[in-house]
Amino acid sequence: MAKVLIIGGGIVGLSSAYYLQKAGHQVTVLDKGDLTDSCSFGNAGMIVPSHFIPLATPGMVSQGIKWMFNSKSPFYVKPSFNPQLISWGLKFLQKANAGHVERSATPLTELSLLSKKLYEDLSKEPEFDFDLVEKGILMFYKTEKAGEEEAHLAEKGRELGLDMAVLSPADCVKLQPNLELDVLGAVHYRCDAHLSPNKLMAAMVKYLRGAGVNLITNKEVTKIETVAGKVTRVLSYNEEFKADEYIVAGGSWSPAIGKLLGVKILLMPGKGYSFNVKEQVPSMQIPALLAEARVAITPMNGGLRYGGTMELDKINNRINMNRVKGIVESVPKYFPGLKPAVPAEKDIWFGFRPSSADGLPYIGRSNKFGNLVIATGHGMMGLSLGAATGLLVQEVISGTKNSIDIEAFAPDRS
């Protein structure tokens, strides 16, 4: 049994704590917030084995350049001389090729399928009621180009063993009878699922507290000390925390934590926005993704959660209303009967997705310190991949065989 300190209380940190506690380890989670404001709370709640294509793709470079000049576009990189952004951009350009996409598909699929199975298992536990629904997700498209791309992805997904089907507009109507549709078709990602992230996080916190995991909130890490290739203690101002094993699971704050260790964790915070709209009569049966608009809509807690955009910049508290308007304005183009109002600023949630340059998460031991594990960089799939990452972290620390090959996720990969 090891004494383990986890830095970061998002879904990855809490999932790691869950599986470590189950394996008999003594676990402490240290978080700079109060465990109610992480990126894991406000996302679309989608579990997506369908997302086996990393962010770094050849088409994303040219598309990203076009989007740079549109204030309402789904993707934006704020130009700056930020060294982290420059390093990230160079690595992104290096990895945005067909070979990388091909090599990434199998490890991402295996990670996603493991995570989905773990969420299914977790949902059967009496302490965990988080509204897991396995109806898949519908990727709607309006243009022939997007339709061709989605059909190609569906074919590749089926080769990977994923259940995907290309649908005609009539097929879509049968699955979404209460929605007026203006689309050319959709791909039904039958392999996908969705859940309520708010309920999952609350259940996880409650369980961990009851199981004796020490959850320490509102403690910012200010210093980390090391001796002879080992982390020896973590400090929050004058308060110290010691353990046998240390885990960096700080989401978009991980590079700053790594800097205290002299470890480079290359990722950028990708700001995303979401807002909720209550519904008297449920309109959507199955979560929707809007292909061209890059918007997600999920039935959740008696209404719909709308989310989208990826805004790469330094961590900040600004709300870019143009980005939110971009989400709002895209919806009626696909669903003429759905016309969400632009929400008040106080009703808009935003969070920072920790986005690695090659689109793959970091999961595994650091080469620099023998008792340091890094678990971050999941981008838009932190919730989806959280359970699997937690189990893999436990296996790494326990020294047992990993459930899947994690070589592709090595923190020190080139």
Side-chain angles (χ1 to χ4, degrees), residues 151-394:
H152 174 72
L153 283 177
E155 185 180 345
K156 176 66 179 171
R158 287 192 292 270
E159 288 173 12
L160 291 164
L162 299 173
D163 188 1
M164 297 181 171
V166 179
L167 306 183
S168 68
D171 295 327
C172 296
V173 170
K174 288 176 188 172
L175 288 174
Q176 298 278 34
N178 299 333
L179 270 181
E180 184 184 351
L181 302 178
D182 182 6
V183 296
L184 281 182
V187 173
H188 191 185
Y189 299 152
R190 293 172 180 150
C191 52
D192 291 356
H194 71 283
L195 54 78
S196 168
N198 307 62
K199 289 185 178 181
L200 171 65
M201 294 295 285
M204 190 67 84
V205 168
K206 184 178 179 183
Y207 172 86
L208 291 173
R209 283 205 169 110
V213 172
N214 192 12
L215 301 180
I216 302 175
T217 56
N218 301 306
K219 294 288 182 188
E220 181 186 358
V221 174
T222 54
K223 188 177 181 181
I224 302 177
E225 294 182 356
T226 62
V227 174
K230 294 270 187 179
V231 180
T232 53
R233 65 174 186 159
V234 168
L235 290 101
S236 176
Y237 298 98
N238 294 325
E239 197 170 351
E240 73 167 21
F241 302 90
K242 290 185 173 182
D244 305 312
E245 299 272 1
Y246 297 82
I247 301 165
V248 173
S252 289
W253 285 262
S254 296
I257 299 165
K259 196 171 182 181
L260 297 174
L261 286 156
V263 172
K264 187 170 186 180
I265 302 174
L266 185 59
L267 58 83
M268 284 295 295
K271 187 191 283 184
Y273 299 98
S274 75
F275 58 93
N276 301 315
V277 176
K278 289 287 183 188
E279 287 193 308
Q280 296 301 318
V281 180
S283 60
M284 187 173 286
Q285 307 299 313
I286 300 170
L289 292 167
L290 312 184
E292 296 88 349
R294 307 288 175 106
V295 164
I297 310 171
T298 310
M300 196 180 293
N301 305 328
L304 295 176
R305 175 169 288 180
Y306 296 87
T309 83
M310 176 70 105
E311 189 179 313
L312 295 183
D313 192 1
K314 290 180 178 178
I315 291 173
N316 63 78
N317 292 323
R318 294 188 303 270
I319 290 179
N320 187 328
M321 290 304 293
N322 272 337
R323 304 250 159 243
V324 179
K325 287 173 186 172
I327 296 171
V328 168
E329 291 168 7
S330 69
V331 175
K333 295 174 184 175
Y334 296 78
F335 313 127
L338 274 187
K339 296 174 181 173
V342 176
E345 199 166 300
K346 67 179 177 61
D347 296 325
I348 298 167
W349 173 93
F350 65 88
F352 300 96
R353 309 179 189 103
S355 304
S356 68
D358 62 4
L360 299 177
Y362 299 114
I363 308 170
R365 285 205 181 275
S366 161
N367 284 343
K368 190 168 182 179
F369 298 105
N371 63 342
L372 176 67
V373 173
I374 294 171
T376 188
H378 297 73
M380 292 183 284
M381 296 193 291
L383 180 90
S384 185
L385 302 177
T389 302
L391 177 64
L392 293 167
V393 165
Q394 180 272 119

Side-chain angles (χ1 to χ4, degrees), residues 82-94:
N82 174 3
Q84 183 88 352
L85 175 59
I86 293 167
S87 296
W88 188 96
L90 291 171
K91 177 65 75 175
F92 181 90
L93 290 170
Q94 179 194 336

